[in-house]
Amino acid sequence: RSQQEMFQDYGHGYGFGWYVSTKMGRRVFWHTGNDGPAGYASIVEMFPEDHVTLIALTNNTGLSHGKSIVMIDGKPVTIPASPVREAADEIERMYFDTFPH
């Protein structure tokens, strides 16, 4: 019961400690954390119906021209190193385009 309450939208797209919304036509629970001056950012997104959780941690809070390699279903994929939100969005697009659910 307490888990149901955590992910219940009590208004403004927020439950008990988690944002509740829809992304790419899927229900998603998410939260971020960052401290620009300290140089880190993070995001956790859970897609419960797809049994998919994305956790992105970075010490790159600004734009970069570097590359990052992530593993998607055991296969390495190269993406631009970018702020954590942009990286998370790109990883999710690649995953759900490759493995439609």
Side-chain angles (χ1 to χ4, degrees), residues 1-21 28-32 46:
R1 178 168 160 86
S2 61
Q3 187 175 20
Q4 281 180 325
E5 292 174 354
M6 281 174 46
F7 301 121
Q8 175 67 41
D9 183 355
Y10 293 97
H12 310 291
Y14 199 76
F16 289 142
W18 291 93
Y19 292 99
V20 179
S21 60
V28 62
F29 309 128
W30 62 278
H31 212 292
T32 62
M46 297 181 291

Side-chain angles (χ1 to χ4, degrees), residues 14 26 52 56:
Y14 199 76
R26 295 167 164 85
V52 170

Side-chain angles (χ1 to χ4, degrees), residues 14-94:
Y14 199 76
F16 289 142
W18 291 93
Y19 292 99
V20 179
S21 60
T22 302
K23 186 174 187 180
M24 296 179 291
R26 295 167 164 85
R27 189 166 59 132
V28 62
F29 309 128
W30 62 278
H31 212 292
T32 62
N34 65 67
D35 185 339
Y40 69 85
S42 64
I43 187 163
V44 175
E45 292 188 334
M46 297 181 291
F47 296 85
E49 284 80 18
D50 296 290
H51 305 286
V52 170
T53 298
L54 175 111
I55 300 171
L57 310 169
T58 182
N59 60 358
N60 177 11
T61 58
L63 293 174
S64 168
H65 297 292
K67 298 287 181 192
S68 177
I69 297 175
V70 297
M71 299 299 285
I72 297 178
D73 197 40
K75 298 178 181 90
V77 177
T78 303
I79 62 170
S82 60
V84 71
R85 167 50 63 197
E86 292 177 25
D89 289 348
E90 188 164 343
I91 290 165
E92 290 162 353
R93 277 192 302 274
M94 287 188 297

